[in-house]
Amino acid sequence: MLYTDRDRSQSKNTDREGRLHRKTMAGGGFVEAGQLKRAHLYEYKITRYFIFSCIVAALGGSLFGYDLGVSGGVTSMDDFLKEFFPKVSRRKQEHLHETDYCKYDNQLLTLFTSSLYFAGLVSTFAASHVTRNRGRRASIIVGSVSFFLGGVINAAAVNVGMLIVGRILLGAGIGFGNQAVPLYLSEMAPAKVRGAVNQLFQLTTCLGILVANLINYGTEKIHPWGWRLSVGLATVPATLMFVGGLCLPETPNSLVEQGRLEEGRRILEKVRGTKNVDAEFADLVEASEAANAVRHPFRNLLERRNRPQLVIGALGIPAFQQLTGMNSILFYAPVIFQSLGFGSGAALYSSVITSGALVVAALISMSFVDKLGRRTFFLEAGGEMIIYMIVVAITLALKFGQGKELPRGVGVLLVIVIFLFVLAYGRSWGPLGWLVPSELFPLETRSAGQSMVVCVNLLFTALIAQCFLVSLCHLKYGIFLVFGALIVIMSTFVFFLLPETKQVPIEEVYLLWQGHWLWKNYVSHGEPYKSGEKA
């Protein structure tokens, strides 16, 4: 079936969406950006070629997810701790069956985890250059090679230095993959299903976490080298991503940006499954002309007219995604559960439950994000997450940290509440933290903007990873109240500053800013850039 916004059955929705009537403001205000240029003329089919390209590209998320899942499990394994972190191992054995906030407080141990994210932070600037000048596909391939080498070195590590080197290579792989994959998916997808397609990245991330936790659950019983198998299997998703990357087409947006117009149109026709791509291709060419006029995309991103994308896409959302505390729970889930008095096997089992919740949540978000919208998930799930953080804090304040094993009922309650928290995060800040920024940037700043997204995301991931265990030790249950307060702030940020972007063509999202109560003061009406304008 050929989908077109001119279909009579969709005329009502098209008229409403084509004019971008968006109820997104507090107090019943509207964001009304006027008639879209050519969006109502776009046509597409969901083709096998399109599905294949998106699934293969989305494998990049499995690298990020596998590392998130495997790191927490490995850092709670006795054999790993005895070999590389003997002080932590001794402290763990002394408090094996007791609750202890400070059981795993060791900065060298947390550096093992956070070094990956610091490396990813630095590598994303190189990834921006490759993504813009060589294409999204090239960054995906480079990321897979780096991740593969990191997995090999970590599996063969005989000292902490080798571990850190391996983690740095893994981080570089994640930096390239996270920079390119969300862009690739957003650019390949038609506007009406862009949310679901982009969230393939989150789904493969969640599946990577789940698979890693299942592997950890099995390898924890293999002494003394089970942990090596866990970290070494990172080469599997890297290999899949590399082989798949060789088969991927480049996005039409990137081809047009590189001046390869005929090839760009041919790929666009193949991806959309129709020859009637004149309208969409014309928008791509116009966006490319503006993009090629920009000589310094990072400097351009700082200009006043790009303030909404900078504040929301490049800084706010990627930072807030980590300040929910979710990644701390993910890669320290086995550590947290052991600190709460669970045994080693039970801790890993509990972390499998939480990662399973992420997969379910990603499927929920994929199914409804293009119907209910981004803001709905941000705000509804944010309210739930605040409540769950308060419940965890109160429970720990009353029952935890007294050197005794937690009552079974309290332990079960904590697992359930953390499960619900993960479920809320997994349908909101998890996937939308990557989806929404990838929608906001115009083509001329898209690579630079996505680099900022990855940079800020990994910076806060690294800082939270490095500070979480010491904060847990000193703030105790208060750390969960801190995360709850931060979720209040970020929900307020979304409510007042983020317009709804569902089903808006990616090259015309800029029109939303012109009707926003705040951002209209920063952007000019009409075209965002004139052809040939230097920046």
Side-chain angles (χ1 to χ4, degrees), residues 209-230:
I209 294 169
L210 177 60
V211 169
N213 280 315
L214 290 171
I215 289 173
N216 284 339
Y217 187 66
T219 58
E220 192 261 343
K221 300 176 176 63
I222 303 175
H223 303 287
W225 53 270
W227 67 269
R228 295 185 184 275
L229 183 58
S230 286

Side-chain angles (χ1 to χ4, degrees), residues 298-326:
F298 282 99
R299 187 188 306 167
N300 183 269
L301 188 60
L302 299 177
E303 292 193 359
R304 179 181 177 86
R305 61 190 173 187
N306 286 322
R307 197 61 48 79
Q309 297 95 316
L310 175 67
V311 173
I312 298 176
L315 300 176
I317 289 179
F320 284 143
Q321 186 192 49
Q322 300 310 313
L323 292 175
T324 59
M326 182 61 226

Side-chain angles (χ1 to χ4, degrees), residues 79 142 230 232 240 303-304 362 366 371 398 439:
D79 294 324
V142 171
S230 286
L240 292 175
E303 292 193 359
R304 179 181 177 86
M366 287 179 66
K371 298 176 183 177
L398 296 175
E439 297 177 318

